[in-house]
Amino acid sequence: IIKSIQEKPAAEQAKMIQERMAKAGAKKHIYYPILAATGAKEAVEPIVTGYKTSSGEAQKSAFEGLCALNDDSVLPTLLEAASNPALKEQAVARFIALTQASATLNNDQKYMNYRKALETNPALKYKNQALSALSATQNYQAMMLASEYMDNAETAQAAANTVLEIATKHPEFYSAEVKALLEKVSATLN
């Protein structure tokens, strides 16, 4: 299938795959990852719908497609998928990666996405990833959110690095509270 359509534009590829999906009936879910691989904007809606309206193998296949998409519009669906314990870690990992790679989200939106990722209470690896990613947002709220994770030994390094990165680049944030945070960073990183 892929060889027969790979020379065509992405939108045309998506259309051809969707036509095959329509003929496949109950087995249409096997096409979700292939549809995602086209990279076409037209692939997003059927994959998101497939994820939300199916179960079992069909939902798993739609989720694979969802994780392969490089489109910010799937972020809410990935966050929704994170509520499923079987999909949580992969959904959160993709949510963080897609947020980091986004050229359309501003720093405040990215901050909110990292906050949402942390609120899912993901595995330590993804907590630290989100905490580290917060530093790129360069905003006060991100610094304060990261500071909440400095008391946990497993997240202290990533959190302290983020607080330090933001605080040192923004003297306008300086206050007694930030000074106390920087002293705590000094104790954490030594």
mmCIF file of all heavy atoms in Angstrom, residues 1-29:
data_model
loop_
_atom_site.group_PDB
_atom_site.id
_atom_site.type_symbol
_atom_site.label_atom_id
_atom_site.label_comp_id
_atom_site.label_asym_id
_atom_site.label_seq_id
_atom_site.Cartn_x
_atom_site.Cartn_y
_atom_site.Cartn_z
ATOM 1 N N ILE A 1 0.836 -1.194 0.000
ATOM 2 C CA ILE A 1 0.000 0.000 0.000
ATOM 3 C C ILE A 1 0.874 1.248 0.000
ATOM 4 O O ILE A 1 0.663 2.151 -0.792
ATOM 5 C CB ILE A 1 -0.932 0.029 1.242
ATOM 6 C CG1 ILE A 1 -1.918 -1.120 1.180
ATOM 7 C CG2 ILE A 1 -1.679 1.339 1.310
ATOM 8 C CD1 ILE A 1 -2.699 -1.293 2.465
ATOM 9 N N ILE A 2 1.843 1.273 0.911
ATOM 10 C CA ILE A 2 2.677 2.459 1.059
ATOM 11 C C ILE A 2 3.452 2.741 -0.230
ATOM 12 O O ILE A 2 3.517 3.877 -0.680
ATOM 13 C CB ILE A 2 3.618 2.324 2.272
ATOM 14 C CG1 ILE A 2 2.787 2.308 3.544
ATOM 15 C CG2 ILE A 2 4.629 3.450 2.311
ATOM 16 C CD1 ILE A 2 3.556 2.029 4.799
ATOM 17 N N LYS A 3 4.022 1.685 -0.844
ATOM 18 C CA LYS A 3 4.789 1.887 -2.075
ATOM 19 C C LYS A 3 3.925 2.455 -3.189
ATOM 20 O O LYS A 3 4.379 3.288 -3.966
ATOM 21 C CB LYS A 3 5.433 0.581 -2.529
ATOM 22 C CG LYS A 3 6.718 0.280 -1.823
ATOM 23 C CD LYS A 3 7.460 -0.819 -2.526
ATOM 24 C CE LYS A 3 8.831 -0.919 -1.895
ATOM 25 N NZ LYS A 3 9.785 -1.553 -2.726
ATOM 26 N N SER A 4 2.680 2.010 -3.264
ATOM 27 C CA SER A 4 1.812 2.446 -4.360
ATOM 28 C C SER A 4 1.378 3.905 -4.228
ATOM 29 O O SER A 4 0.961 4.502 -5.210
ATOM 30 C CB SER A 4 0.588 1.538 -4.463
ATOM 31 O OG SER A 4 -0.234 1.692 -3.332
ATOM 32 N N ILE A 5 1.475 4.475 -3.036
ATOM 33 C CA ILE A 5 1.008 5.849 -2.862
ATOM 34 C C ILE A 5 2.094 6.840 -2.452
ATOM 35 O O ILE A 5 1.859 8.031 -2.448
ATOM 36 C CB ILE A 5 -0.143 5.919 -1.818
ATOM 37 C CG1 ILE A 5 0.340 5.520 -0.437
ATOM 38 C CG2 ILE A 5 -1.324 5.104 -2.280
ATOM 39 C CD1 ILE A 5 -0.654 5.763 0.658
ATOM 40 N N GLN A 6 3.296 6.354 -2.150
ATOM 41 C CA GLN A 6 4.292 7.239 -1.559
ATOM 42 C C GLN A 6 4.761 8.371 -2.465
ATOM 43 O O GLN A 6 5.297 9.356 -1.981
ATOM 44 C CB GLN A 6 5.461 6.452 -0.990
ATOM 45 C CG GLN A 6 6.388 5.834 -2.013
ATOM 46 C CD GLN A 6 7.424 4.961 -1.343
ATOM 47 O OE1 GLN A 6 7.358 3.762 -1.469
ATOM 48 N NE2 GLN A 6 8.345 5.545 -0.638
ATOM 49 N N GLU A 7 4.565 8.276 -3.756
ATOM 50 C CA GLU A 7 4.970 9.347 -4.671
ATOM 51 C C GLU A 7 3.921 10.455 -4.750
ATOM 52 O O GLU A 7 4.165 11.495 -5.337
ATOM 53 C CB GLU A 7 5.219 8.770 -6.074
ATOM 54 C CG GLU A 7 6.319 7.725 -6.119
ATOM 55 C CD GLU A 7 7.676 8.244 -5.682
ATOM 56 O OE1 GLU A 7 8.028 9.384 -6.030
ATOM 57 O OE2 GLU A 7 8.388 7.502 -4.975
ATOM 58 N N LYS A 8 2.776 10.252 -4.166
ATOM 59 C CA LYS A 8 1.671 11.214 -4.248
ATOM 60 C C LYS A 8 1.754 12.220 -3.100
ATOM 61 O O LYS A 8 2.365 11.947 -2.077
ATOM 62 C CB LYS A 8 0.341 10.472 -4.204
ATOM 63 C CG LYS A 8 0.227 9.416 -5.310
ATOM 64 C CD LYS A 8 -1.174 9.055 -5.597
ATOM 65 C CE LYS A 8 -1.311 8.006 -6.648
ATOM 66 N NZ LYS A 8 -0.769 8.274 -7.935
ATOM 67 N N PRO A 9 1.119 13.408 -3.250
ATOM 68 C CA PRO A 9 1.094 14.388 -2.155
ATOM 69 C C PRO A 9 0.379 13.811 -0.921
ATOM 70 O O PRO A 9 -0.479 12.931 -1.047
ATOM 71 C CB PRO A 9 0.299 15.563 -2.736
ATOM 72 C CG PRO A 9 0.280 15.347 -4.209
ATOM 73 C CD PRO A 9 0.451 13.883 -4.446
ATOM 74 N N ALA A 10 0.732 14.323 0.248
ATOM 75 C CA ALA A 10 0.205 13.805 1.513
ATOM 76 C C ALA A 10 -1.323 13.782 1.548
ATOM 77 O O ALA A 10 -1.924 12.800 1.994
ATOM 78 C CB ALA A 10 0.747 14.622 2.679
ATOM 79 N N ALA A 11 -1.960 14.846 1.115
ATOM 80 C CA ALA A 11 -3.427 14.905 1.151
ATOM 81 C C ALA A 11 -4.047 13.820 0.280
ATOM 82 O O ALA A 11 -5.044 13.196 0.659
ATOM 83 C CB ALA A 11 -3.916 16.279 0.700
ATOM 84 N N GLU A 12 -3.433 13.568 -0.868
ATOM 85 C CA GLU A 12 -3.934 12.526 -1.762
ATOM 86 C C GLU A 12 -3.698 11.144 -1.146
ATOM 87 O O GLU A 12 -4.537 10.245 -1.257
ATOM 88 C CB GLU A 12 -3.247 12.634 -3.123
ATOM 89 C CG GLU A 12 -3.947 11.840 -4.210
ATOM 90 C CD GLU A 12 -3.337 12.072 -5.588
ATOM 91 O OE1 GLU A 12 -2.827 13.182 -5.846
ATOM 92 O OE2 GLU A 12 -3.381 11.128 -6.396
ATOM 93 N N GLN A 13 -2.561 10.972 -0.497
ATOM 94 C CA GLN A 13 -2.282 9.710 0.192
ATOM 95 C C GLN A 13 -3.348 9.441 1.247
ATOM 96 O O GLN A 13 -3.886 8.330 1.338
ATOM 97 C CB GLN A 13 -0.916 9.765 0.873
ATOM 98 C CG GLN A 13 0.264 9.758 -0.049
ATOM 99 C CD GLN A 13 1.574 9.901 0.730
ATOM 100 O OE1 GLN A 13 1.636 9.677 1.933
ATOM 101 N NE2 GLN A 13 2.632 10.273 0.023
ATOM 102 N N ALA A 14 -3.643 10.470 2.048
ATOM 103 C CA ALA A 14 -4.646 10.325 3.106
ATOM 104 C C ALA A 14 -6.001 9.955 2.515
ATOM 105 O O ALA A 14 -6.706 9.085 3.046
ATOM 106 C CB ALA A 14 -4.748 11.608 3.923
ATOM 107 N N LYS A 15 -6.361 10.591 1.424
ATOM 108 C CA LYS A 15 -7.645 10.311 0.779
ATOM 109 C C LYS A 15 -7.705 8.858 0.312
ATOM 110 O O LYS A 15 -8.704 8.171 0.514
ATOM 111 C CB LYS A 15 -7.857 11.265 -0.404
ATOM 112 C CG LYS A 15 -9.183 11.087 -1.098
ATOM 113 C CD LYS A 15 -9.335 12.058 -2.250
ATOM 114 C CE LYS A 15 -10.678 11.808 -2.919
ATOM 115 N NZ LYS A 15 -10.607 11.925 -4.353
ATOM 116 N N MET A 16 -6.631 8.387 -0.310
ATOM 117 C CA MET A 16 -6.589 7.006 -0.804
ATOM 118 C C MET A 16 -6.691 6.000 0.353
ATOM 119 O O MET A 16 -7.386 4.994 0.251
ATOM 120 C CB MET A 16 -5.315 6.784 -1.614
ATOM 121 C CG MET A 16 -5.300 7.558 -2.934
ATOM 122 S SD MET A 16 -3.704 7.467 -3.779
ATOM 123 C CE MET A 16 -3.779 5.791 -4.416
ATOM 124 N N ILE A 17 -6.012 6.288 1.440
ATOM 125 C CA ILE A 17 -6.054 5.381 2.595
ATOM 126 C C ILE A 17 -7.444 5.388 3.221
ATOM 127 O O ILE A 17 -7.970 4.340 3.603
ATOM 128 C CB ILE A 17 -4.957 5.745 3.622
ATOM 129 C CG1 ILE A 17 -3.583 5.465 3.010
ATOM 130 C CG2 ILE A 17 -5.140 4.962 4.917
ATOM 131 C CD1 ILE A 17 -2.426 6.035 3.776
ATOM 132 N N GLN A 18 -8.058 6.566 3.305
ATOM 133 C CA GLN A 18 -9.407 6.637 3.861
ATOM 134 C C GLN A 18 -10.398 5.871 2.989
ATOM 135 O O GLN A 18 -11.340 5.268 3.505
ATOM 136 C CB GLN A 18 -9.836 8.091 4.036
ATOM 137 C CG GLN A 18 -9.142 8.736 5.219
ATOM 138 C CD GLN A 18 -9.489 10.201 5.372
ATOM 139 O OE1 GLN A 18 -9.458 10.975 4.417
ATOM 140 N NE2 GLN A 18 -9.814 10.589 6.592
ATOM 141 N N GLU A 19 -10.196 5.878 1.684
ATOM 142 C CA GLU A 19 -11.056 5.088 0.791
ATOM 143 C C GLU A 19 -10.899 3.606 1.093
ATOM 144 O O GLU A 19 -11.878 2.856 1.136
ATOM 145 C CB GLU A 19 -10.715 5.387 -0.678
ATOM 146 C CG GLU A 19 -11.175 6.759 -1.128
ATOM 147 C CD GLU A 19 -10.615 7.174 -2.490
ATOM 148 O OE1 GLU A 19 -9.853 6.390 -3.118
ATOM 149 O OE2 GLU A 19 -10.950 8.296 -2.927
ATOM 150 N N ARG A 20 -9.669 3.174 1.305
ATOM 151 C CA ARG A 20 -9.425 1.762 1.662
ATOM 152 C C ARG A 20 -10.041 1.438 3.024
ATOM 153 O O ARG A 20 -10.562 0.345 3.230
ATOM 154 C CB ARG A 20 -7.934 1.455 1.680
ATOM 155 C CG ARG A 20 -7.340 1.362 0.306
ATOM 156 C CD ARG A 20 -5.877 0.941 0.418
ATOM 157 N NE ARG A 20 -5.274 0.875 -0.874
ATOM 158 C CZ ARG A 20 -4.981 -0.253 -1.502
ATOM 159 N NH1 ARG A 20 -5.233 -1.407 -0.929
ATOM 160 N NH2 ARG A 20 -4.413 -0.234 -2.691
ATOM 161 N N MET A 21 -9.955 2.390 3.950
ATOM 162 C CA MET A 21 -10.542 2.183 5.280
ATOM 163 C C MET A 21 -12.050 1.978 5.174
ATOM 164 O O MET A 21 -12.611 1.129 5.866
ATOM 165 C CB MET A 21 -10.234 3.373 6.196
ATOM 166 C CG MET A 21 -8.791 3.454 6.634
ATOM 167 S SD MET A 21 -8.414 4.968 7.541
ATOM 168 C CE MET A 21 -9.191 4.615 9.113
ATOM 169 N N ALA A 22 -12.684 2.757 4.316
ATOM 170 C CA ALA A 22 -14.135 2.653 4.145
ATOM 171 C C ALA A 22 -14.529 1.276 3.628
ATOM 172 O O ALA A 22 -15.588 0.747 3.993
ATOM 173 C CB ALA A 22 -14.630 3.738 3.196
ATOM 174 N N LYS A 23 -13.675 0.672 2.821
ATOM 175 C CA LYS A 23 -13.955 -0.657 2.260
ATOM 176 C C LYS A 23 -13.592 -1.782 3.237
ATOM 177 O O LYS A 23 -14.033 -2.910 3.065
ATOM 178 C CB LYS A 23 -13.180 -0.852 0.954
ATOM 179 C CG LYS A 23 -13.621 0.065 -0.165
ATOM 180 C CD LYS A 23 -12.724 -0.119 -1.386
ATOM 181 C CE LYS A 23 -13.049 0.923 -2.437
ATOM 182 N NZ LYS A 23 -12.074 0.896 -3.542
ATOM 183 N N ALA A 24 -12.763 -1.467 4.224
ATOM 184 C CA ALA A 24 -12.244 -2.496 5.127
ATOM 185 C C ALA A 24 -13.222 -2.888 6.226
ATOM 186 O O ALA A 24 -12.988 -3.870 6.938
ATOM 187 C CB ALA A 24 -10.931 -2.044 5.738
ATOM 188 N N GLY A 25 -14.264 -2.110 6.427
ATOM 189 C CA GLY A 25 -15.264 -2.438 7.445
ATOM 190 C C GLY A 25 -14.668 -2.503 8.837
ATOM 191 O O GLY A 25 -14.029 -1.574 9.300
ATOM 192 N N ALA A 26 -14.857 -3.651 9.497
ATOM 193 C CA ALA A 26 -14.415 -3.827 10.880
ATOM 194 C C ALA A 26 -12.889 -3.827 11.021
ATOM 195 O O ALA A 26 -12.369 -3.662 12.122
ATOM 196 C CB ALA A 26 -14.977 -5.116 11.461
ATOM 197 N N LYS A 27 -12.191 -4.004 9.930
ATOM 198 C CA LYS A 27 -10.718 -4.031 9.972
ATOM 199 C C LYS A 27 -10.089 -2.686 9.598
ATOM 200 O O LYS A 27 -8.881 -2.586 9.404
ATOM 201 C CB LYS A 27 -10.192 -5.109 9.010
ATOM 202 C CG LYS A 27 -10.554 -6.507 9.412
ATOM 203 C CD LYS A 27 -9.655 -6.959 10.502
ATOM 204 C CE LYS A 27 -9.889 -8.430 10.791
ATOM 205 N NZ LYS A 27 -9.144 -8.886 11.932
ATOM 206 N N LYS A 28 -10.902 -1.636 9.517
ATOM 207 C CA LYS A 28 -10.362 -0.334 9.104
ATOM 208 C C LYS A 28 -9.293 0.185 10.051
ATOM 209 O O LYS A 28 -8.421 0.950 9.656
ATOM 210 C CB LYS A 28 -11.478 0.691 8.929
ATOM 211 C CG LYS A 28 -12.048 1.251 10.200
ATOM 212 C CD LYS A 28 -13.086 2.305 9.910
ATOM 213 C CE LYS A 28 -13.523 2.967 11.196
ATOM 214 N NZ LYS A 28 -14.473 4.033 10.937
ATOM 215 N N HIS A 29 -9.335 -0.278 11.294
ATOM 216 C CA HIS A 29 -8.371 0.210 12.277
ATOM 217 C C HIS A 29 -6.920 -0.115 11.926
ATOM 218 O O HIS A 29 -6.010 0.568 12.378
ATOM 219 C CB HIS A 29 -8.716 -0.312 13.677
ATOM 220 C CG HIS A 29 -8.562 -1.789 13.813
ATOM 221 N ND1 HIS A 29 -9.551 -2.671 13.452
ATOM 222 C CD2 HIS A 29 -7.536 -2.540 14.280
ATOM 223 C CE1 HIS A 29 -9.144 -3.906 13.692
ATOM 224 N NE2 HIS A 29 -7.921 -3.850 14.190
#
